[in-house]
């Protein structure tokens, strides 16, 4: 699925897909691009797909957060007010109040679910960062040790080369060629 501006999605064939349908756990797990997903996202999707209760909550919140939900309610309220109810619409007020209670509950469920997901993702990211820190520290120590060994080797080789050069420059006692020149 390719993402376009405005959080609308299109399928690979170019046909419009349902907005945010890629967020539903069953659809998220069915997509072939699982390797591009964060491990915490996949774990949460598997957890949510395993429970019927969570799948129902996902379906309700997915629909309740769409424009189709708004359009349906506009049509239902218009029909109710014009056909079924006399003014001032007391039954409709009761129904809308009850629906608001349930929808606010679903909003809180969604917020709790998102907070739990963010905590799992943060824990995973923290663990990954800690692993990287340990690996980087080990690599830094290894580079330091190699640098120290190279430095010692350069100093040792330089000192022995200097000794050899100094020994070659100084005449030795008892050398017949040097004694005859003196």
């Amino acid at each position: 699925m390719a993402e376009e501006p405005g959080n609308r999605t299109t399928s690979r064939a170019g046909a419009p897909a349902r907005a945010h349908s890629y967020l539903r756990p069953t659809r998220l797990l069915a997509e072939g691009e699982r390797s591009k997903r964060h491990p915490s996202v996949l774990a949460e999707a598997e957890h949510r797909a395993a429970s019927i209760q969570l799948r129902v909550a996902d379906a309700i919140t997915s629909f309740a957060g769409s424009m189709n939900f708004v359009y349906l309610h506009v049509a239902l309220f218009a029909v109710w007010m014009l056909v079924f109810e006399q003014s001032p619409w007391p039954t409709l007020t009761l129904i809308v109040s009850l629906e608001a209670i349930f929808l606010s509950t679903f909003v809180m469920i969604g917020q709790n679910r998102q907070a739990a997901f963010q905590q799992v993702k943060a824990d995973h990211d923290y663990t990954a960062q800690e692993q990287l820190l340990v690996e980087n520290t080990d690599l830094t120590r290894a580079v330091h040790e190699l640098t120290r060994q190279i430095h010692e080797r350069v100093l040792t080789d330089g000192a022995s080369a200097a000794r050899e050069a100094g020994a070659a420059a100084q005449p030795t006692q008892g050398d017949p060629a040097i004694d005859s020149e003196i």
Side-chain angles (χ1 to χ4, degrees), residues 23-39:
L23 296 176
R24 301 261 308 267
T26 51
R27 289 191 174 96
L28 182 67
L29 293 172
E31 289 183 11
E33 299 176 357
R34 289 176 61 118
S35 63
K36 294 182 181 178
R37 304 283 184 212
H38 194 282

Side-chain angles (χ1 to χ4, degrees), residues 38-62:
H38 194 282
S40 297
V41 173
L42 292 174
E44 180 67 14
E46 288 170 356
H47 168 71
R48 298 202 65 73
S51 170
I52 293 173
Q53 194 172 17
L54 294 176
R55 285 196 313 256
V56 168
D58 286 335
I60 291 171
T61 55
S62 176

